[in-house]
Amino acid sequence: MSLSRQQRFSRARISARAVRQFVGDTLAEWGLSERRDDIRLCASELAANAVLHGVPLGREFSVRLTREEGELWIEVRDSGPGCPAPRQPDSEAQRGRGLWMVTALSDKFEIRDEAFGKTVRAGFKLLCD
C-alpha cells in the first residue's frame, strides 16, 4: 500500500509549527505512531531550514509525506538556490544543528537538485508494515 499527502506552506517562521502539525495529523490519519516524535521533529527542522535558507521572498515551499513498503519519507521542496549540507556542529555554536539532527534521527537522508531549487528528503524505516 502506498500513501502520499502534500501541502504548501508560506515563507514564515510559524510554518515549522504548521508543518509539525500537518505531519502529526497525517501520521494519525494513517494510523502510524511508530517514530512519530522523530518524524515530526525532522519535518519541523527541514521546514525551518527551508524558511531560513531556501525559500525566496514571496514564495512557498511544499512538504510531502509518502508511505510505502515499510518506509516513510518526508520531502521538503523549495525553489531557492544553494545546496544544504549537514555538518557536525561546533559545541559552542547556537545554530547549525538542524540537518545534523535530521541525519542522526532518520535512516536515510538525500538532497536532490531540481530544475529550480532542491528537495531535501529524510526516510524512516517502519516496523509496522
Side-chain angles (χ1 to χ4, degrees), residues 5 22 26 29 44 46 58 91 95 105 118 120 123:
R5 188 165 177 208
F22 164 71
T26 301
E29 182 182 308
S44 179
L46 293 177
S91 62
R95 299 172 54 140
L105 293 173
K118 70 245 163 232
V120 182

Side-chain angles (χ1 to χ4, degrees), residues 36 51 76 83-84 102 109:
R36 181 180 189 271
V51 168
V76 176
C83 186
V102 171
F109 180 78

